[in-house]
Amino acid sequence: MLAFAALLTAVYIARSQLPSFESLKSSPNGQMIRVHAADGSVLVSLGPSYGEWLAYDRIPAVMRDATIAVEDRRFDSHVGVDPVGIVRSLYVNYERGRRVQGASTITQQLARNIFLNNQKKFGRKFREGILALALERKFSKEQILELYLNKVYYGGGAYGIDAASRKFFGHGADHLSLPEAAVIAGLVKAPSNYSPTADAQAAVGRAGVVIQQMVRNGFISVDQAREANDVGVKLAPAPRQNSVRYFTDWALPQLDLLIDETEKPLEVWTTLDPAMQRDADAAVRANVPKGAQGALVSIDRDGSVRAMVGGTDYVSSIYNRATQAQRQPGSSFKLFVYLAALEAGKTPEDREIDEPVTIDGWSPRNDSRRFSGSVTLRTAFAYSLNTIAAKLGQAVGFQTVADMARRFGISTPVNTHPSMVLGTSDVRLIDMTRAFASVGNKGVAITPFGITRVTADGEEIYRHEVDRSQVLVAPNVAAEMTDLLQTAVNTGTGRAAQIGRPVAGKTGTTTSSKDGWFLGFSSGLTTGVWMGRDDARPIAGLHGGTAPARAFREFMVKAVAKRPIEQFETAVTLPEAQLEPDAESYYGAPDNATYTDDGGYGVEAGTAPEQGTVFGPERPVVQPLPPQENEPQQQPHSAQQQPRPDERLDQDWLDRVTGQPRRDAVRTPPPPRAAPPSRPSAAAQPGERPYQ
């Protein structure tokens, strides 16, 4: 009698200290972050997930019955603790020689989930019983079941039946079917073992046990059970955990700088376009050389990052090569050399002498192993002449080139050695893509961002504002640079990146083909692609104008398909035809110099290429473009003029393609600073596509 009196006193004391029903409905501690794509779809959920709170009358009867049948079949009759269940559990465990059956009621599980922990100690079990008795004294059975079904953990970070239903079936819990309710009810025993995302077969098998218990306890008929087994369940596909996570891993840490909220659940809306992300992932995977890695970043004209691929497989490597890796950019760094020259007063039509040059003991060479004499800057850029880049860097000052790179967003250290004009400083792909995007934005700075707005409990606590006030270079300088970039795609080293509409871009290849780059823009979208090995070992056949340019093309063709075609402000002007094109343009060889042991780039002193040496594969890398929808099936001029199998790809062929007189014919030198004649536009020649 004294023990009973003490128990009764403890129960009523505990009852008096219990929170109210409304207080218990609040979510437990732990911040949940749900990340949305630009179209509103959920990319990933981090932290504990809590679905919509469902009142008792909104919870489907099959869900209530399934839970009671498998967890506590005498729920409606006991007082919070089930003596019959305790005796049965003790007998079964004694007979089996080990613990195979528990005796906790739904009320006890609720008390443990809210107030206690899962330690298997007698003291915790005694307190659990006291709290269960107190809960039964303060709340009705309906309220206890409502609290339980909305708070219990179902695995995968999901708390409550609504969160579990949305995670595993893709819809709310207010219209669960019998098989779906059986799957969810069966998870409570061992969420990690029976979770559909971990083992779908085990989850379905456990659901069969739940349905048998429902038949045994009279909740459903045998026919209903048979029908449920025949229908089965359709599980929602698991959220992508591959390349999308490269983007979320980059974007979400920025929340620490944007907001102060650390407790309320957050809804984060981002700039990522799911369709573009899928296309970017596919383009990288399809073109990356065997044993190599690839990365891609695509930035819209306002700085919003539409796609980000940091590697070929996030599961095997979470290292983000788009934002973390620092690699040499090769000739793509010439963007800053020519920007500095154009800002200093040079124009694309200005002429320089392509000849041997030595700067502080460093002698760069061209990939063609020859020199072409007087050429325009447009020609030098299109065919990536290293000697001209070195001369321009020396003329404007290597420190000026470094300052230009930093001005356009290069955040890594930039050296000022003469060889820096060929891209010997390590850079990040996202920084280089940002620089090209700023050129395409008419010289106005673009800052990449991934988060557009954040809400907490439905209240907006952050919204991104685009800053368009920072002008990096004058509009005419950006226009002239765009002119050079589009020429490089139309007739130079980037011809494999043509997409059937105006494109401006540049290739980059580093020593011994360790890195391949292509960066370019079209229709307001700028995309950068890098490929290489993490250990920086050479990759045979990897050049900026091959695999990276092809990945760029495959991605951009789809990414800009629904965007209006935008013509650049400057017309395309072809480079001079008398120049022997560099090896990468037609043969796929690297477009910048070879590093030698003496610390410079070039052929070792006293040596020269062997007579008749061929640099690069024998076949051209240019591939014809597929016909575009709603356009005449006519290819660009450069693609139409492919050599016949029995025709030599020599200077005579190049002269014939570009409409120039033969080299052995008499030429009249062009007047200084006179621009080469432009090709006719599409408007002037109806039915023809513009030259790209």
Side-chain angles (χ1 to χ4, degrees):
M1 290 180 63
L2 289 174
F4 179 76
L7 176 64
L8 203 61
T9 302
V11 169
Y12 277 92
I13 291 175
R15 179 186 182 280
S16 65
Q17 296 176 346
L18 288 176
S20 66
F21 182 75
E22 293 299 322
S23 297
L24 290 177
K25 286 174 61 176
S26 62
S27 297
N29 293 332
Q31 189 175 37
M32 186 269 288
I33 301 176
R34 189 158 53 180
V35 185
H36 299 264
D39 62 359
S41 61
V42 177
L43 294 175
V44 65
S45 294
L46 305 175
S49 174
Y50 306 101
E52 180 185 0
W53 187 277
L54 297 182
Y56 181 84
D57 56 359
R58 290 188 59 196
I59 299 173
V62 290
M63 186 69 245
R64 301 196 301 263
D65 294 342
T67 300
I68 293 173
V70 73
E71 291 297 325
D72 187 3
R73 59 189 179 187
R74 273 182 291 276
F75 172 72
D76 292 325
S77 59
H78 63 63
V79 294
V81 176
D82 185 8
V84 176
I86 294 174
V87 172
R88 183 190 68 247
S89 174
L90 292 173
Y91 175 76
V92 172
N93 293 338
Y94 174 78
E95 191 178 52
R96 300 286 181 86
R98 57 188 177 91
R99 189 179 186 278
V100 296
Q101 190 176 91
S104 294
T105 64
I106 286 177
T107 314
Q108 287 177 269
Q109 293 180 49
L110 178 63
R112 180 171 66 246
N113 289 335
I114 296 178
F115 303 111
L116 303 173
N117 53 46
N118 289 321
Q119 291 181 346
K120 297 178 180 180
K121 295 181 179 180
F122 178 79
R124 192 272 297 168
K125 198 69 178 177
F126 180 76
R127 291 194 299 273
E128 178 186 294
I130 297 296
L131 288 170
L133 294 170
L135 286 169
E136 292 276 353
R137 305 286 76 75
K138 185 164 186 173
F139 304 120
S140 66
K141 291 287 187 180
E142 289 78 8
Q143 288 177 317
I144 291 173
L145 190 58
E146 179 183 332
L147 287 169
Y148 179 83
L149 291 175
N150 282 283
K151 281 184 170 291
V152 72
Y153 181 62
Y154 288 103
Y159 288 84
I161 57 172
D162 191 67
S165 178
R166 294 180 188 277
K167 180 176 181 62
F168 302 132
F169 308 121
H171 60 76
D174 52 351
H175 54 282
L176 286 168
S177 65
L178 174 57
E180 292 172 340
V183 169
I184 294 178
L187 295 175
V188 177
K189 180 179 181 180
S192 59
N193 293 337
Y194 298 122
S195 172
T197 56
D199 190 339
Q201 187 174 359
V204 173
R206 175 64 178 167
V209 174
V210 175
I211 291 176
Q212 291 176 7
Q213 290 295 323
M214 294 180 71
V215 173
R216 184 175 302 171
N217 290 280
F219 290 110
I220 59 174
S221 65
V222 175
D223 291 338
Q224 288 177 305
R226 185 180 298 111
E227 182 181 354
N229 289 326
D230 292 340
V231 172
V233 294
K234 183 178 180 181
L235 299 175
R240 288 181 59 86
Q241 296 295 313
N242 207 328
S243 63
V244 167
R245 292 300 304 273
Y246 286 118
F247 173 80
T248 56
D249 287 354
W250 168 74
L252 291 181
Q254 302 170 26
L255 288 174
D256 294 337
L257 302 176
L258 303 179
I259 61 174
D260 297 325
E261 181 59 59
T262 59
E263 295 183 359
K264 295 180 180 179
L266 299 179
E267 301 284 341
V268 180
W269 276 264
T270 69
T271 60
L272 193 78
D273 185 305
M276 287 191 188
Q277 182 69 19
R278 289 191 295 270
D279 294 337
D281 201 16
V284 170
R285 288 170 176 263
N287 291 281
V288 68
K290 184 178 180 180
Q293 280 288 351
L296 182 150
V297 175
S298 190
I299 303 176
D300 218 328
R301 66 173 82 247
D302 61 351
S304 54
V305 176
R306 297 303 185 188
M308 177 180 289
V309 178
T312 56
D313 184 27
Y314 180 87
V315 175
S316 62
S317 173
I318 65 173
Y319 182 59
N320 193 336
R321 296 154 187 86
T323 61
Q324 295 175 288
Q326 299 182 25
R327 304 296 289 254
Q328 291 185 359
S331 287
S332 61
F333 194 82
K334 291 176 182 175
L335 174 81
F336 309 115
V337 179
Y338 280 78
L339 278 171
L342 294 173
E343 190 175 59
K346 295 285 187 178
T347 69
E349 290 76 27
D350 283 351
R351 308 187 76 82
E352 291 286 345
I353 305 298
D354 179 20
E355 60 185 353
V357 58
T358 299
I359 305 172
D360 296 337
W362 172 66
S363 299
R365 62 163 173 77
N366 299 322
D367 291 303
S368 61
R369 306 301 202 274
R370 63 193 66 172
F371 304 100
S372 303
S374 179
V375 295
T376 63
L377 295 190
R378 175 180 289 106
T379 298
F381 187 84
Y383 296 121
S384 201
L385 299 183
N386 296 327
T387 56
I388 303 301
K391 283 189 170 185
L392 293 177
Q394 184 181 36
V396 301
F398 301 113
Q399 183 62 54
T400 302
V401 175
D403 291 341
M404 181 65 71
R406 284 189 282 267
R407 190 194 307 179
F408 271 78
I410 300 302
S411 57
T412 49
V414 179
N415 70 65
T416 55
H417 303 305
S419 61
M420 60 93 71
V421 299
L422 304 185
T424 59
S425 299
D426 291 339
V427 296
R428 297 185 180 94
L429 175 61
I430 192 169
D431 289 346
M432 288 294 292
T433 309
R434 170 187 184 180
F436 276 76
S438 298
V439 172
N441 199 35
K442 302 179 181 179
V444 179
I446 282 181
T447 302
F449 69 96
I451 298 175
T452 56
R453 65 189 181 98
V454 181
T455 62
D457 288 344
E459 179 184 356
E460 185 174 278
I461 59 176
Y462 169 78
R463 178 175 289 272
H464 180 79
E465 298 292 339
V466 177
D467 181 10
R468 296 183 173 89
S469 62
Q470 187 179 3
V471 178
L472 302 178
V473 292
N476 67 296
V477 173
E480 290 176 331
M481 191 69 242
T482 301
D483 184 14
L484 299 180
L485 290 168
Q486 66 174 339
T487 307
V489 175
N490 280 275
T491 62
T493 60
R495 293 172 62 180
Q498 296 174 5
I499 61 174
R501 61 171 65 197
V503 182
K506 184 71 180 77
T507 59
T509 309
T510 59
T511 306
S512 303
S513 299
K514 294 177 181 177
D515 302 89
W517 299 69
F518 187 87
L519 304 107
F521 51 86
S522 177
S523 303
L525 193 67
T526 304
T527 299
V529 180
W530 167 88
M531 292 182 183
R533 289 177 60 99
D534 288 336
D535 58 8
R537 291 172 56 188
I539 301 173
L542 175 63
H543 316 297
T546 55
R550 290 194 295 267
F552 173 91
R553 181 189 65 211
E554 291 182 13
F555 169 74
M556 288 289 284
V557 163
K558 298 177 181 178
V560 302
K562 297 182 180 179
R563 298 186 176 210
I565 296 177
E566 298 181 12
Q567 301 292 338
F568 298 126
E569 291 186 353
T570 175
V572 175
T573 306
L574 297 180
E576 295 165 296
Q578 79 271 12
L579 176 72
E580 182 71 19
D582 72 354
E584 183 181 5
S585 175
Y586 292 104
Y587 296 104
D591 66 347
N592 65 323
T594 303
Y595 186 74
T596 58
D597 292 337
D598 61 358
Y601 282 74
V603 181
E604 294 182 10
T607 64
E610 296 180 7
Q611 192 70 21
T613 300
V614 177
F615 298 92
E618 297 180 358
R619 300 234 177 235
V621 299
V622 181
Q623 298 181 0
L625 295 173
Q628 300 296 311
E629 193 172 316
N630 301 327
E631 289 183 342
Q633 295 191 10
Q634 182 175 356
Q635 297 175 341
H637 178 76
S638 59
Q640 294 174 357
Q641 303 292 339
Q642 297 296 321
R644 297 188 302 273
D646 58 345
E647 190 175 15
R648 292 185 60 191
L649 189 61
D650 54 13
Q651 185 62 44
D652 290 339
W653 178 85
L654 182 62
D655 290 341
R656 188 165 60 257
V657 168
T658 55
Q660 300 293 327
R662 291 174 55 89
R663 240 186 184 187
D664 53 5
V666 178
R667 292 194 187 194
T668 302
R673 300 181 65 85
S678 301
R679 296 285 183 178
S681 64
Q685 299 292 335
E688 291 188 2
R689 290 169 60 188
Y691 292 97
Q692 305 303 323

